[in-house]
Amino acid sequence: MLRLQAPLTDSYTLASPDELASRITAAKLTLGDRVLILGHHYQRDEVIRWADKIGDSFKLAKFAADNHQATDIVFCGVHFMAESADVLTGDHQRVILPDLNAGCSMADMADIDQVEEAWAEIAAVTAIDRVVPITYMNSAAALKAFVGRHGGAVCTSSNARAVLTWALDRGDKVLFFPDQHLGRNTGFDMGFGESDMRVWNPRLDCGGLEDREVKDSTLLLWKGHCSVHQRFRPEHVATARAEHPGVEVIVHPECAHDVVEVADRVGSTERIQEWVADAPPGAVIAVGTEIHMVQRLAREHADKTVYSLDPLICPCATMFRVDAPHLAWVLEELVAGRVVNQIVVDADDAEWARVALQRMLDIT
Ligand code: 13P
Ligand code: SF4
C-alpha cells in the first residue's frame, strides 16, 4: 500500500549521526514521560537505542495497552503495529509512526474486499457459523475488525497455537490470513496433516479450491507470505550443519515449513532473542530472521557465534525506513507542539479490531 511520506528537510537529512543523537536526547528530555518510544527487534541500531521498550509485536501491543501515562507513543516499527497500538490505547493517547511508508508487504497481501469475498464464497459451500476467522497481527486494522465482527481473534507469532486452539474449540474450521506459513507451521505443530490444510488463493474463484476441499479442510490458509522469511531454505540449514557441527538453528515461524522442519527451534523475535541470550558461551547459532536483529544479537553476544542462516543480507525494507532523522523529526515536532504522522484507525474499525485484539490478549 502506498502511503505518502513528506521528504524531510536538510536539517534532518544532512545532520550527522552525532548531531541527531544530541537532538533526540534533548527532545526526549523535554518530553519526559509524555512520550513513550516503542521499538521492534527489526529496527536499526540508530533507532532501537532510543526505545523505552523493545519487543516482538505481541509484547509491543501489550506495552501500548498497559501504558496510560504517555500522551504520545512513537512506534518504531511498521504500520500495522502502530494501528494496533492506536486501537489499544486510550482516547488521550496518540500513536505516531516516524515514516508513513513503513508498511508490511505481507500485510498488503490481504485486503478487506478480498477477505469479504472469500467469506461469502466459503459461506456458499459450508456452514459459515462453524468457521472462525483468525488474522495474524501483520494485517490492516480493517481485517482485525472483520475477525472481531465474525467471532474471531488476532494472533501473533508468539501465540498462534493458543489462538488456533481457542478458535477450533469454537468452530470446525479456521480461515487464517494473511500468512500461510505461520498458519501451516502452527497447524503441523498442533498435529494436523497436509490434507487438513488447504491454501486459499484470493486471486482464484473459490480460492482455487473444489467445494469438497473447502468442506474437508480444517485450516484454510491465505496465500500470503513474508518476502524476508521466504528466502530461507532447507539448503541453508544443511550448509550450517555441515560447516558448524553442533550448530543450533533457530528460525521465525514465517519461514516455510520445510525450513521449520529441519530447524532446532522456531519462535517469535522475542523468543529468538531469549534463546540466544540463554545459550551457553561458545554456542554457535544460525538465525533465520531479519538481518538487523541477527547482527545486533551477534554484537550483544560476542561470547557466542551468532550469524544469519542466509549468507545474503536479508533486511526488511519497510522496517528499515524508520531511521534516526525521522525519529528526530517526529520528536522535535512534538516539542514544538505539532503532531505529525499520527496513525488513526476509524472509530468503527477500531471498535471491532479492539474486540479481536482483546480476545488475543485474554487467550494468552
Ligand atoms: P514478531 O511478532 O515475532 O516480532 O514478528 C513480527 C514480524 O513482522 C516478523 O516478520
Ligand atoms: Fe512484514 Fe516480513 Fe517485514 Fe515482518 S519482516 S514487517 S512480515 S515484510
Side-chain angles (χ1 to χ4, degrees), residues 42 78 80 103-106 138 226-229 254 316 318-319:
Y42 292 167
V78 288
F80 69 80
C104 164
S105 54
M106 177 209 282
N138 300 33
C226 165
S227 49
V228 174
H229 290 91
E254 288 173 12
C316 173
T318 45
M319 284 275 181

Side-chain angles (χ1 to χ4, degrees), residues 40-309:
H40 186 266
H41 289 299
Y42 292 167
Q43 291 289 294
R44 310 160 179 236
D45 286 350
E46 70 185 50
V47 171
I48 211 77
R49 61 184 286 212
W50 303 108
D52 299 306
K53 303 277 184 192
I54 299 170
D56 61 7
S57 53
F58 177 72
K59 216 169 155 186
L60 293 174
K62 275 201 57 74
F63 285 136
D66 294 345
N67 181 292
H68 306 289
Q69 190 173 11
T71 50
D72 293 293
I73 295 173
V74 175
F75 209 117
C76 297
V78 288
H79 194 266
F80 69 80
M81 298 179 181
E83 277 191 332
S84 299
D86 179 52
V87 166
L88 289 168
T89 47
D91 290 346
H92 64 294
Q93 295 174 298
R94 300 170 292 203
V95 176
I96 291 165
L97 182 65
D99 186 323
L100 294 179
N101 289 335
C104 164
S105 54
M106 177 209 282
D108 292 344
M109 288 179 193
D111 68 33
I112 187 62
D113 293 340
Q114 293 172 314
V115 169
E116 301 266 17
E117 198 180 315
W119 196 248
E121 288 176 322
I122 295 167
V125 176
T126 191
I128 201 69
D129 56 339
R130 300 299 299 159
V131 184
V132 181
I134 299 293
T135 189
Y136 188 23
M137 183 67 116
N138 300 33
S139 59
L143 272 64
K144 295 185 175 83
F146 177 91
V147 304
R149 284 190 192 97
H150 292 89
V154 175
C155 76
T156 72
S157 58
S158 65
N159 55 34
R161 185 180 170 136
V163 173
L164 281 186
T165 303
W166 171 90
L168 289 172
D169 281 347
R170 271 150 194 79
D172 306 323
K173 245 182 243 319
V174 164
L175 172 63
F176 186 90
F177 40 85
D179 184 18
Q180 59 170 303
H181 298 298
L182 178 64
R184 186 177 297 109
N185 288 326
T186 310
F188 278 122
D189 189 39
M190 292 168 72
F192 292 106
E194 198 92 52
S195 58
D196 301 313
M197 303 185 254
R198 293 283 187 324
V199 173
W200 181 276
N201 183 344
R203 293 173 191 278
L204 301 177
D205 283 345
C206 198
L209 299 175
E210 302 291 335
D211 290 2
R212 171 60 42 207
E213 293 177 302
V214 175
K215 283 193 175 87
D216 287 351
S217 29
T218 305
L219 301 176
L220 292 167
L221 308 174
W222 197 266
K223 192 173 179 356
H225 65 269
C226 165
S227 49
V228 174
H229 290 91
Q230 74 160 7
R231 290 184 52 88
F232 298 104
R233 302 299 315 132
E235 297 76 48
H236 294 132
V237 181
T239 304
R241 298 208 189 283
E243 288 177 354
H244 303 281
V247 67
E248 176 152 44
V249 177
I250 304 180
V251 300
H252 193 276
E254 288 173 12
C255 292
H257 186 63
D258 54 3
V259 177
V260 165
E261 252 183 325
V262 291
D264 298 304
R265 296 186 198 231
V266 52
S268 77
T269 55
E270 187 73 14
R271 296 294 285 137
I272 292 172
Q273 197 212 34
E274 288 165 2
W275 286 326
V276 171
D278 291 347
V284 181
I285 308 166
V287 184
T289 198
E290 206 271 346
I291 192 69
H292 290 88
M293 175 171 177
V294 180
Q295 288 174 338
R296 183 156 50 245
L297 286 173
R299 269 193 306 277
E300 286 172 357
H301 300 281
D303 58 334
K304 307 164 198 178
T305 304
V306 181
Y307 69 100
S308 172
L309 189 57

